[in-house]
Amino acid sequence: MLVDGKTILDVANQNNFAIPAFNISDWAMFLGVMDISEEKEAPVIIAIHPDEVAHITTDLIAAIRVRAHRSSVPVAIHWDHGGTYEQIITAIQAGFTSVMIDASMLPFEENVALTRKVVEAAHAVGIQVEGELGTIGANDSYGESGAAEIIYTNVDDAVRFVEETGVDSLAIAIGTSHGLYPAEKNPELRHDLLEQIKAAVGIPLVLHGGSGNPDAELARAVSLGINKINISSDIKVSYHNRMREILGTDERLREPNSIQPPCIEAMKITAAQKIDLFNAAGKAKLY
C-alpha cells in the first residue's frame, strides 16, 4: 500500500522503531528492496536522491507507485535531499509521497524561510516534509555528501525550527557522515544530544549517513527516538561487490537477468540486517 510520509513515520514514532529509507538507483534494486521488506513484513521508504532521479528519470516513479500500491507493506516514496523549491515541485508532480528539503548549509533564517515555503506547497497536496538542521559530515564525494565538518544540531534551534516551519520530521546532526567511513575514522553518535532534541520537539527524527555506523550505536539511536534511518552506501556496496565477482567469472556474461539476480540477493541480506536492527520487522501489521 502506497502511503504518505507522515502516515508511515507517525506510526514509527508512536511505537518506537525506525523505518529504513533505502536509496535505490535502478529498477532491480527497487524490486529487491520491496521483496525483502515484504518478506520481513516491514514498512519501507524508497528514497531517491536528485542525482539518482537524474539517472532513472521521473518516468520510473509511475511504475514504482504501481508496485507500491500492490505491496503487502506500507511504502512511501521519498525525494531525498531536495536542494531547491523547484526540485520539490518536480517531486510532487512526479508522484513522490514524501519530500525532503535540505537547506542545512544556509544560515538559519534562510533555512527556515525555504523550508516553510516547501511545507506550504507540500501540505496543500497532503505530502509530508522532512527538513534538516545542523550539518552531516562527508566521507566521500558522492551525491549525498555533507559538510567538511559536522555542525551538531542545537536543541533550542530545533524547537524554533519545527515551530516556524511546520515540518513533519527533522533530520538532525548527531555525529554521522554520508558515504563510507575510512579505516582511520571512528564514528560516534551523540546519544545525549538525541535524547534532548527528541524530548524538546517530539516529532519523528531522522538520521542520515547511517551506513557504516556500529550496530550498537544505531540500535541505541532507535531506542532514543530516531524513526527513519537512511541507508544508501551499505546496500550499494553489497550489490556492486557481488556484481564485480560475477562479471569476473565469465567475460561473456552480458544479460542482466543472468548478472543481476545474485547481486539483488546480496543486497537483500544487507537490507534485512538493517530492517532487524531498526526494529522494523513485523511492524507492517501496525498500519
Side-chain angles (χ1 to χ4, degrees), residues 2 18-20 39 54 79 81 88 92 117-118 128 142 150 162 173 188 196 213 216 237 248 270 278 280 283:
L2 180 65
I19 298 173
E39 289 172 27
W79 184 287
H81 285 284
I88 300 304
I92 293 171
K117 183 179 180 181
V118 166
Q128 179 260 358
Y142 285 100
I150 296 172
V162 170
E188 186 174 352
Q196 295 169 31
N213 290 85
V237 166
T270 300
F278 303 164
K283 296 300 193 298

Side-chain angles (χ1 to χ4, degrees), residues 212-235:
N213 290 85
D215 286 354
E217 285 203 343
L218 291 179
R220 179 157 171 73
V222 171
S223 72
L224 295 175
I226 290 293
N227 302 119
K228 169 177 172 279
I229 301 179
N230 287 35
I231 298 294
S232 179
S233 298
D234 278 349
I235 59 171

